[in-house]
Amino acid sequence: MLNISPNSISGKIDKDKYSSLSGVERKKSNHVFRRILYGFLLLLIFILILPWTQNIRSYGSVTTIRPEHRPQGIHTVIGGQIQRWYVKDGDFVEKGDTLLKITEVKDDYFDSSLIQRTKNQVDLKKESADFYEEKIKTQESQLALLQQQRDLKLSQNKIKLQQAALKVQIDSIAHAAAQVNYSTAKYQYQRMDSLHKKGLKSLTDLEMRNLKVQETKAYEMETKNKWLNSKNELMNLKIEGSNILMDFQSDYNKVLSDKYATTSTKLETETEVNKLENTHSNYKFRNNLYYITAPQSGYVTRTISTGIGETIKEGQQVLTLMPKDFYIAVESYIEPIDVPLLNKGQKVRLQFDGWPAIVFSGWPNVSHGTYGGVVYSIDQFISPNGKYRVLIKPDPEDYAWPKALRFGSGTSTMILLKDVPIWYELWRKINGFPPDYYKIETSDTKSQNYEK
């Protein structure tokens, strides 16, 4: 048949009797094989020139961008003993709903009337401060009266000084007149004595003149004494003015010192009032902390502290709350070698755990079950796992992400890069070259709108 053996049987068999053998020998199989080979070659060339989207594969989980939308622990501000639970795992709570109640464990706060007693102390201290304020006003009135009294006494002393000065002037003039009279009397006595020696005047006239001299001398001494007394009185009035100022200053300083002491006591009382008011406010605020409430609407995911009568410390976490509404996002971790290829606003394809998908990494447009995303931010520091975290938000131009996604579910991420032919991608893979550097224009407006 194939004529491979040197012992040919050709001519020894009647081929017309075997139709199958005749058909096989007449078929030209070499032409068919060549056609198939050429077809595969053309198909391979066609596949090699097809476009291929370079991508970076990574894995991450569902998260949220805003910190207040992430699962949060509810902590107790004060230490206490659990008295009653109002929720259980899986319950939905609105903002402000009571989660649990605790009772006091510190003996400083056991008094049931502690707030009222503290309020009474505040009121009494305020009254004491008001009394000190009235005392200060009284002392200020005393100071004003002392100043008024000083002004009146100084005015009176000023008038007396003027009167004394006029009296000194009058006495001085009277003394000067007495001196003139005394000098005149002496001169007349001398003339009379001269006339008496000449026998022109009698001894009686001479003695009368001598008596007149003595009278004028006595009067001159009397006026001089009055003049000196007037001057002494003037000096006494000046000293009295100084004494008035000194007495006033002494009394004024004493009252002023009492006022300052009262003001200091008033300020100390007001300080105690502020401390008591602060203590009173703290007691009232602490009284409200016995009921732990939900800071926002969400689901109770796990209660950490359990039981009734269990003692919890200050700042201890009692349960975990998952917010009801949150802006969903994906956090994915990228190798450091791929980080320079990423930019904000870059397109991403995502596959979520629990949502079946048919993925063609090189042809994202023909993948089924994947969802679009956009790179929102890239961390500037490396994570503990040795990779950089990338946050991805939903692509507003693509299908909406599933509403049933839960926080923390796994994701597979394809970060799309440049479109290249398949042969180029194979060549790059064989040589171990990195993907081509890719840069995209970002839209900060969309990012800002998403943050809001």
Side-chain angles (χ1 to χ4, degrees):
M1 292 182 292
L2 299 178
N3 295 322
I4 297 176
S5 174
N7 300 320
S8 175
I9 60 173
S10 179
K12 296 181 180 180
I13 298 175
D14 188 3
K15 297 180 182 179
D16 296 334
K17 294 180 180 181
Y18 306 100
S19 58
S20 297
L21 181 60
S22 299
V24 170
E25 288 186 348
R26 286 196 301 267
K27 190 172 182 68
K28 298 181 179 179
S29 60
N30 291 335
H31 296 289
V32 176
F33 177 74
R34 283 198 296 271
R35 290 174 182 175
I36 295 174
L37 185 61
Y38 290 151
F40 274 110
L41 183 60
L42 291 175
L43 179 62
L44 179 61
I45 294 174
F46 176 75
I47 292 175
L48 289 176
I49 63 175
L50 287 177
W52 180 273
T53 301
Q54 293 179 322
N55 58 83
I56 300 172
R57 296 296 298 269
S58 62
Y59 299 91
S61 59
V62 176
T63 183
T64 179
I65 293 177
R66 299 181 68 88
E68 67 269 21
H69 292 167
R70 298 173 186 172
Q72 65 176 104
I74 307 299
H75 299 75
T76 175
V77 180
I78 61 174
Q81 189 178 57
I82 298 176
Q83 183 178 6
R84 182 180 177 184
W85 282 95
Y86 293 92
V87 295
K88 59 182 180 297
D89 289 357
D91 284 353
F92 174 77
V93 294
E94 294 287 350
K95 181 179 180 181
D97 287 352
T98 303
L99 303 177
L100 73 155
K101 179 184 178 182
I102 61 176
T103 56
E104 194 59 69
V105 293
K106 291 185 177 181
D107 55 358
D108 295 338
Y109 309 100
F110 283 165
D111 187 1
S112 59
S113 302
L114 181 62
I115 296 177
Q116 185 59 40
R117 298 183 197 279
T118 308
K119 183 65 170 59
N120 294 337
Q121 292 179 8
V122 172
D123 294 339
L124 292 175
K125 279 295 181 181
K126 284 184 176 179
E127 291 182 4
S128 178
D130 293 338
F131 292 151
Y132 282 120
E133 180 65 27
E134 293 299 325
K135 186 176 181 180
I136 291 174
K137 291 180 180 179
T138 302
Q139 290 169 337
E140 289 178 348
S141 300
Q142 290 179 351
L143 293 175
L145 290 174
L146 286 173
Q147 290 177 338
Q148 185 178 2
Q149 185 179 10
R150 177 202 61 181
D151 295 338
L152 291 175
K153 287 185 176 181
L154 288 177
S155 298
Q156 184 181 20
N157 181 260
K158 183 178 180 181
I159 295 174
K160 289 183 178 180
L161 284 174
Q162 291 176 352
Q163 292 176 345
L166 290 175
K167 187 177 181 183
V168 168
Q169 187 176 2
I170 293 172
D171 291 343
S172 174
I173 294 172
H175 176 63
Q179 283 183 329
V180 172
N181 291 333
Y182 175 66
S183 298
T184 302
K186 283 178 62 178
Y187 178 71
Q188 289 178 351
Y189 173 76
Q190 290 175 357
R191 287 179 60 194
M192 185 63 68
D193 183 58
S194 176
L195 292 175
H196 174 68
K197 289 179 178 181
K198 292 179 179 181
L200 296 177
K201 291 291 181 180
S202 64
L203 181 60
T204 303
D205 293 335
L206 180 63
E207 291 176 350
M208 290 295 294
R209 289 293 179 186
N210 187 23
L211 181 61
K212 186 66 175 178
V213 170
Q214 298 300 324
E215 289 178 354
T216 55
K217 176 64 176 177
Y219 182 71
E220 187 267 340
M221 294 180 66
E222 180 182 356
T223 55
K224 184 177 181 180
N225 185 48
K226 289 183 178 181
W227 178 43
L228 292 175
N229 288 334
S230 298
K231 291 176 68 175
N232 184 45
E233 185 178 355
L234 179 63
M235 292 298 295
N236 290 335
L237 288 175
K238 289 182 179 180
I239 294 173
E240 183 181 353
S242 300
N243 291 333
I244 291 173
L245 290 175
M246 186 173 62
D247 294 340
F248 161 77
Q249 196 65 40
S250 176
D251 296 338
Y252 187 87
N253 290 340
K254 183 178 182 303
V255 177
L256 187 63
S257 176
D258 294 340
K259 177 191 172 184
Y260 288 153
T262 306
T263 303
S264 176
T265 306
K266 174 179 173 288
L267 294 176
E268 292 177 357
T269 306
E270 290 179 346
T271 302
E272 293 178 2
V273 169
N274 291 333
K275 290 181 179 179
L276 287 173
E277 286 180 340
N278 183 35
T279 304
H280 179 256
S281 299
N282 291 339
Y283 289 161
K284 289 179 64 177
F285 187 79
R286 185 182 181 90
N287 197 47
N288 296 328
L289 295 177
Y290 296 144
Y291 291 90
I292 300 177
T293 58
Q296 59 180 320
S297 300
Y299 296 90
V300 178
T301 57
R302 186 163 63 101
T303 54
I304 299 175
S305 299
T306 59
I308 301 297
E310 180 180 350
T311 301
I312 53 180
K313 299 179 180 179
E314 295 180 1
Q316 181 175 338
Q317 184 175 351
V318 293
L319 57 86
T320 303
L321 185 70
M322 179 62 200
K324 173 186 175 183
D325 301 318
F326 57 90
Y327 294 116
I328 198 169
V330 168
E331 60 177 0
S332 188
Y333 291 90
I334 308 300
E335 295 288 346
I337 192 174
D338 296 326
V339 171
L341 305 175
L342 303 182
N343 293 280
K344 292 180 65 176
Q346 203 160 328
K347 298 290 184 179
V348 176
R349 301 304 300 178
L350 298 166
Q351 178 186 358
F352 299 106
D353 290 353
W355 276 263
I358 301 175
V359 181
F360 297 93
S361 60
W363 296 297
N365 293 330
V366 298
S367 299
H368 295 279
T370 61
Y371 297 88
V374 178
V375 175
Y376 175 76
S377 69
I378 305 170
D379 282 356
Q380 299 298 319
F381 58 92
I382 199 166
S383 300
N385 59 3
K387 299 181 180 180
Y388 285 88
R389 190 184 68 150
V390 178
L391 288 177
I392 302 167
K393 68 176 183 178
D395 188 352
E397 301 175 356
D398 207 318
Y399 295 106
W401 290 5
K403 294 183 179 180
L405 281 177
R406 293 291 183 269
F407 192 94
S409 61
T411 62
S412 177
T413 307
M414 292 183 297
I415 301 177
L416 307 180
L417 301 177
K418 189 175 181 181
D419 290 336
V420 297
I422 290 181
W423 67 266
Y424 179 84
E425 183 67 11
L426 292 175
W427 174 80
R428 183 187 70 79
K429 290 282 189 180
I430 293 172
N431 289 276
F433 294 153
D436 294 349
Y437 185 77
Y438 181 63
K439 189 173 181 63
I440 189 173
E441 294 294 333
T442 60
S443 177
D444 295 336
T445 304
K446 294 182 180 179
S447 299
Q448 294 174 358
N449 293 336
Y450 184 73
E451 289 179 356
K452 297 179 181 178

